[in-house]
Amino acid sequence: QVQLVESGGRLVQAGGSLRLSCAASGRTFSSYTMGWFRQAPGKEREFVAAISWTGGYTYYAYSVKGRFTLSRDNAKNTVFLQMNSLKPEDTAVYYCAADREPRRYNGVLIPADVGSWGQGTQVTVSS
């Protein structure tokens, strides 16, 4: 199992930027696709973005495409989610996730394929 710890969430004004980080420990981080999900109050957890184990491929939900950028540093076992042009509807708890299978990339990462979740970090965007 891999342990995931998110950081970087806070209150920000609409139009602002945030960078979330997810630090991983445990199994071989560089072999696993990583992703981010978010869950707003009263809503289901939804996929935000995923990045292949090499970092060569990324996939974004339509709602964040062009505004969010996912990257990873395998030497530091860390994934970064750069969020720009934030909107109030981006308000949610953001969760880092690791695929349960190594060297698998299908574009979108679905919850059934997640092997490890972080504890979440709150992002609040004020209007």
Side-chain angles (χ1 to χ4, degrees):
Q1 285 283 37
V2 62
Q3 289 75 46
L4 304 174
V5 179
E6 302 98 332
S7 61
R10 61 176 176 87
L11 173 65
V12 63
Q13 289 189 332
S17 298
L18 276 179
R19 189 174 83 155
L20 304 183
S21 299
C22 173
S25 61
R27 59 185 170 152
T28 307
F29 171 80
S30 60
S31 295
Y32 294 86
T33 287
M34 299 292 295
W36 287 88
F37 291 74
R38 66 186 182 186
Q39 187 167 18
K43 295 187 177 181
E44 292 187 355
R45 190 171 298 190
E46 65 173 359
F47 168 80
V48 174
I51 187 166
S52 62
W53 67 93
T54 63
Y57 297 94
T58 53
Y59 188 88
Y60 299 92
Y62 179 80
S63 58
V64 307
K65 194 172 184 179
R67 300 188 297 122
F68 290 12
T69 302
L70 184 55
S71 61
R72 65 190 297 162
D73 184 338
N74 284 344
K76 296 183 178 180
N77 284 8
T78 305
V79 173
F80 303 99
L81 183 66
Q82 177 66 43
M83 305 186 295
N84 298 329
S85 303
L86 284 162
K87 306 174 182 180
E89 50 264 43
D90 294 318
T91 295
V93 177
Y94 282 70
Y95 296 91
C96 182
D99 197 326
R100 67 175 67 252
E101 293 292 336
R103 300 177 188 85
R104 175 173 68 183
Y105 176 72
N106 294 321
V108 64
L109 181 61
I110 62 174
D113 285 343
V114 173
S116 299
W117 293 95
Q119 83 288 350
T121 185
Q122 176 71 48
V123 173
T124 303
V125 184
S126 63
S127 57

